[in-house]
Amino acid sequence: MLFGKKKRRICMLLIVEDDPLVAFDTEHFLREAEFEIVATVDRVVDAMTVIRGGHDIDLVLVDISLADGSGIDVAREAHAHALPVLFVTGDCPAGGQDVAAGCLAKPYMPRDLLTAIEVIEAVLEGKKTKRLPHGLTLFAKVA
């Protein structure tokens, strides 16, 4: 096929978000964009269980403020398993730069999240990024 879709490197996502409406909306539009959602969880302990469970995960999307702790702890666990992390939060953390690829500030438009995922994918592949979506900050490390 001459004009087929480009094969994605990032297909399988773990969503860690404690706001039910944000989690539902995020899961819905990412599925519409043909991503597979490995799990959507709202607690640090549940995210750790999924990460340690040997699931195929290409990217972890994590909020910082969770009911039972910090999303930075989730990012550290993901980093220990060589999984890239994108913080998706209203308050991008200074302390998470060593364990995450970047941070997308809330509120964001769905297209900005999709573009942020594409940017993380390009960086993972060693490609230069053309433009960053509104609200995305890239960190020095990616995985």
Side-chain angles (χ1 to χ4, degrees):
M1 179 186 299
L2 186 59
F3 295 107
K5 281 187 174 179
K6 176 189 163 233
K7 183 162 170 49
R8 288 181 174 154
R9 175 184 177 142
I10 296 176
C11 300
M12 313 284 280
L13 305 174
L14 169 59
I15 300 170
V16 185
E17 171 62 61
D18 66 346
D19 182 319
L21 193 55
V22 172
F24 176 81
D25 285 346
T26 300
E27 185 175 320
H28 176 74
F29 71 76
L30 288 172
R31 284 192 183 185
E32 289 289 314
E34 299 181 0
F35 287 96
E36 185 172 332
I37 308 304
V38 175
T40 301
V41 298
D42 62 355
R43 299 173 45 85
V44 171
V45 68
D46 296 333
M48 302 282 204
T49 300
V50 173
I51 291 168
R52 293 173 184 156
H55 299 278
D56 287 333
I57 300 170
D58 299 320
L59 181 64
V60 181
L61 303 174
V62 62
D63 192 5
I64 293 298
S65 299
L66 301 169
D68 67 333
S70 172
I72 294 175
D73 294 329
V74 174
R76 285 186 185 118
E77 185 69 24
H79 182 73
H81 286 83
L83 299 175
V85 173
L86 176 63
F87 291 121
V88 184
T89 184
D91 188 24
C92 290
Q97 294 183 5
D98 290 339
V99 292
C103 183
L104 181 62
K106 289 180 182 174
Y108 58 83
M109 298 295 294
R111 72 175 175 267
D112 290 332
L113 178 57
L114 294 175
T115 304
I117 293 170
E118 290 173 5
V119 167
I120 300 299
E121 184 175 65
V123 171
L124 287 169
E125 293 175 346
K127 297 178 181 172
K128 293 201 179 232
T129 57
K130 294 178 184 171
R131 70 170 187 88
L132 299 182
H134 177 73
L136 177 65
T137 302
L138 284 180
F139 301 149
K141 287 189 167 190
V142 174

